[in-house]
Amino acid sequence: MPPTAPGSLSDEDYTAALTHIRRANGWVVPSAAAPTAGYPKIPATAEWLNNRNDLGSSSYSALDQINRDNVSKLRIAWRWKSDNFGPTPEYYFRPTPLMADGIVYVSAGIRRDVVAIDATTGETLWLYRLDEGDRGAVAPRRNSGRGVAYWRSTRHGEGSRIFTITPGFQLVALDALSGLPVPSFGKGGIVDLKDGLPRVADLPKTPPGSSSPPVIVGDVVVAGVSFSAGGAPPSKVAVPGWIRGYDARTGALLWAFHTVPQPGEPGSETWEDNSASYTGNTAVWAPFSADATRGLVYLPVEAPTADFYGGHRRGNNLFSDALVCIDARTGKRLWHYQIVHHDIWDYDLPAAPVLVDITVHGRKIPAVVQVTKMGLIFVFDRLTGKPVWPIEERPVPQTDVPGEQTAATQPYPTRPAPYEPQGLRTADLIDFTPDLRRQAAAIVKDYRYGPAYMPPSVVVDGGTLGTLLRPCLSGGANWQGAAVDPQTGIFYVSSISSVCPIGLHADPKISDERYVGVYGEGFPHGSLGGPNGLPLIKPPWGRITAIDLNSGHHLWMVPNSGTPDWAASNPVLAGIKLPRTGSFDQVGLLVTRTLLFAGEGSGLYRAGGGGNQFYAYDKATGAIVSQMTLPANQSGVPMTYAVYGRQYIVVATGAKDHPGELIALTLP
């Protein structure tokens, strides 16, 4: 018999139902003998049903059995290792697990296998694996993905389903208890997401894919798209990343929202010279969010083809780089706000918008908050799209690249203030010693640099090597995004202070575009761009910032790690007392009733990444309450749940030479 929604039962009855499910399936039933003696009592079961717990992507849980008084006692309850589920670069093990009915669901391995795990013991309960053959081999995002989606039917006897998007871009529906494909969904449990997208058959070398789970609102499964990195695409002609809604029961296509408008549709006038007819990308590769009560979906849309040159797509290019609100039932656009006009920096919206109710000047506002790679934060009324605080269009530097035409202005929020420095100045260069400062100044003289939105420039023989962007195309913020405490309206965002060079080249062997972007030209290989293998700029190199959304004011900022070994052990810094510098890795955040949890980053940026410490911060001050050593770097976003009255925190980890695994933490 399928599980019943926990909201319809008492804690005791739900625990009894959970025990029945376990026994009926031959799974271990934990002892009910006072597992929480001496600790605060919490609900017997508290689930984590979406990528960031709720559809509003808060990454918040009200659980407080683990609190500032006992967090130092956290220990590993179980470990689940992914290395037997197909090869994946260790730092790409980035899922946020879900927990429903006492089962943890996660994706793993290069084929993105779906796995069900006992939430109390870590035992593997079932596995779904789809070998996609050549289709999977050419997929643009061959990694574990960021997790799966869960759907609990409101119809008696229908049960629950797990939805996943495969690397080869197929939407799969699985029975949540057995792991078997649902035969009534699509064709044998599978819907081909390539069907219906323009130009897919004509562009086999640049297929669509996805690395984020779908979002489910009611009985509608909303699927996004992602593509390979677009700095040097083979052509200006590409597949557009339309967003589509499917029936959760049958897999039938319900609607499509055209992120690149079709002729005659609103926004088509922002693509000059009929460029919307061939330009692609403009997808949603990041996780996205929804207001389930109102049936609204919020899309953080990426840049169009290509990342660093847009001479073939003049205009502002809606709905690229826009936060778009659509109706989940129909796909109709309700409002939008374009955050970057005519993007040539790869400044796409990288993270799920966060939904929270705030109070500004005594007025309650249902808000949606979007963080960005640029270190800017945009806050809107999520029903109307009206900015909570004014947003100004300010002049920005203009391009001199032949054929390119940049936007004259870009939007700047008047509040909150940026959480990352804007642009690069000589005063920002590393200065631990006078010699390091001189060397850094010698490096930057070979590039253009200056305020934010400096356009990428052409590499000139005997001249400049391109433009230094700060923040870089990696952020600022990235897919790890932000978290919010809905009780206080305090918002927490993870970011890095990255600098990167972008140079443009004309190379018809690479692309039929006039120019393609080259990332990292002139930076010493394997370094962070600065002298002696150090960063080009002063710390903090990574940070966590707390912002009061009721006032728009920053409350505190702390580095996201201590001083990494790669900096502390550098011989040119011998004898210099270094501050906590932070590291070049955004970190996933978890907020509970009492604490803020975060690691030191995924290890993706190996030259400048953080370590394997896992911190509990004071939410009000940013002070470290406790820290523990994980087996490897935190690589995913932490989550928490309760089963049989015991709270667990689970985080995906992985690093160089350490296969990805889930680490479940609990109190003794």
Side-chain angles (χ1 to χ4, degrees), residues 194-220:
K194 291 184 180 180
D195 288 349
L197 281 184
R199 301 187 284 280
V200 169
D202 299 329
L203 301 167
K205 294 183 179 180
T206 54
S210 181
S211 52
S212 293
V215 165
I216 305 175
V217 184
D219 297 331
V220 181

Side-chain angles (χ1 to χ4, degrees), residues 629-648:
T629 302
L630 296 174
N633 294 55
Q634 171 191 318
S635 56
V637 177
M639 53 84 77
T640 188
Y641 59 83
V643 179
Y644 293 102
R646 178 185 291 274
Q647 183 181 359
Y648 296 80

Side-chain angles (χ1 to χ4, degrees), residues 40-64:
K41 185 177 180 180
I42 57 173
T45 300
E47 298 176 306
W48 186 283
L49 298 179
N50 299 282
N51 188 259
R52 304 298 169 96
N53 195 16
D54 50 72
L55 283 172
S57 299
S58 71
S59 285
Y60 172 83
S61 171
L63 293 176
D64 61 354

Side-chain angles (χ1 to χ4, degrees), residues 276-287:
S277 66
Y278 55 78
T279 305
N281 296 87
T282 318
V284 178
W285 60 264

Side-chain angles (χ1 to χ4, degrees), residues 301-544:
V301 185
E302 68 159 2
T305 314
D307 289 345
F308 308 118
Y309 178 74
H312 57 278
R313 52 169 172 85
R314 293 191 178 192
N316 278 355
N317 307 145
L318 287 174
F319 294 93
S320 70
D321 298 87
L323 179 61
V324 182
C325 174
I326 62 174
D327 187 306
R329 294 170 294 274
T330 65
K332 179 182 177 181
R333 179 183 58 89
L334 302 177
W335 61 263
H336 74 275
Y337 194 97
Q338 190 175 49
I339 287 173
V340 182
H341 309 317
H342 189 81
D343 187 1
I344 53 170
W345 302 271
D346 194 23
Y347 276 167
D348 46 12
L349 304 189
V354 177
L355 277 55
V356 62
D357 294 342
I358 59 177
T359 301
V360 179
H361 300 308
R363 183 170 67 93
K364 292 185 177 180
I365 300 173
V368 55
V369 188
Q370 181 66 59
V371 297
T372 66
K373 291 181 177 180
M374 303 86 74
L376 304 175
I377 181 171
F378 292 78
V379 187
F380 304 96
D381 183 310
R382 68 175 180 265
L383 305 187
T384 65
K386 181 180 178 180
V388 171
W389 293 282
I391 299 174
E392 298 175 349
E393 289 284 342
R394 299 178 185 171
V396 293
Q398 294 298 290
T399 187
D400 61 0
V401 175
E404 182 64 272
Q405 183 176 316
T406 38
T409 63
Q410 295 291 349
Y412 279 86
T414 56
R415 191 180 296 183
Y419 51 86
E420 281 293 338
Q422 299 293 291
L424 181 65
R425 307 165 301 161
T426 54
D428 300 326
L429 300 179
I430 190 170
D431 62 354
F432 290 129
T433 69
D435 191 48
L436 286 174
R437 177 60 178 271
R438 284 192 295 270
Q439 292 181 61
I443 291 171
V444 301
K445 72 178 179 57
D446 291 329
Y447 301 89
R448 294 185 182 183
Y449 63 96
Y453 293 106
M454 281 290 290
S457 53
V458 177
V459 175
V460 179
D461 290 340
T464 59
L465 296 173
T467 298
L468 293 177
L469 304 185
R470 185 187 188 201
C472 180
L473 54 98
S474 57
N478 212 295
W479 63 268
Q480 296 87 349
V484 71
D485 185 336
Q487 306 303 315
T488 63
I490 307 303
F491 186 84
Y492 305 91
V493 58
S494 161
S495 61
I496 58 176
S497 293
S498 58
V499 178
C500 62
I502 300 297
L504 297 178
H505 291 264
D507 191 344
K509 295 179 181 179
I510 297 177
S511 176
D512 64 8
E513 291 190 48
R514 187 167 184 178
Y515 291 98
V516 296
V518 177
Y519 173 86
E521 185 153 357
F523 267 32
H525 179 69
S527 82
L528 296 163
N532 295 94
L534 290 168
L536 191 60
I537 56 174
K538 294 185 285 191
W541 299 316
R543 65 188 81 200
I544 299 172

Side-chain angles (χ1 to χ4, degrees), residues 161-351:
R161 296 178 182 179
I162 300 297
F163 288 89
T164 187
I165 299 177
T166 68
F169 207 41
Q170 301 184 82
L171 177 64
V172 181
L174 307 172
D175 179 86
L177 292 182
S178 69
L180 297 175
V182 178
S184 59
F185 182 87
K187 296 180 180 179
I190 299 176
V191 168
D192 190 337
L193 293 177
K194 291 184 180 180
D195 288 349
L197 281 184
R199 301 187 284 280
V200 169
D202 299 329
L203 301 167
K205 294 183 179 180
T206 54
S210 181
S211 52
S212 293
V215 165
I216 305 175
V217 184
D219 297 331
V220 181
V221 182
V222 186
V225 189
S226 62
F227 299 91
S228 296
S235 175
K236 66 183 179 182
V237 179
V239 177
W242 293 355
I243 308 303
R244 290 166 296 170
Y246 297 86
D247 187 294
R249 292 185 172 85
T250 67
L253 177 65
L254 301 176
W255 51 260
F257 172 70
H258 300 148
T259 52
V260 179
Q262 299 295 284
E265 292 181 345
S268 59
E269 71 283 356
T270 66
W271 300 79
E272 296 180 14
D273 301 323
N274 198 35
S275 54
S277 66
Y278 55 78
T279 305
N281 296 87
T282 318
V284 178
W285 60 264
F288 46 102
S289 306
D291 183 328
T293 301
R294 299 177 174 93
L296 306 177
V297 179
Y298 299 87
L299 308 175
V301 185
E302 68 159 2
T305 314
D307 289 345
F308 308 118
Y309 178 74
H312 57 278
R313 52 169 172 85
R314 293 191 178 192
N316 278 355
N317 307 145
L318 287 174
F319 294 93
S320 70
D321 298 87
L323 179 61
V324 182
C325 174
I326 62 174
D327 187 306
R329 294 170 294 274
T330 65
K332 179 182 177 181
R333 179 183 58 89
L334 302 177
W335 61 263
H336 74 275
Y337 194 97
Q338 190 175 49
I339 287 173
V340 182
H341 309 317
H342 189 81
D343 187 1
I344 53 170
W345 302 271
D346 194 23
Y347 276 167
D348 46 12
L349 304 189

Side-chain angles (χ1 to χ4, degrees), residues 645-661:
R646 178 185 291 274
Q647 183 181 359
Y648 296 80
I649 294 174
V650 177
V651 59
T653 64
K656 184 179 180 181
D657 302 323
H658 190 104
E661 60 179 310

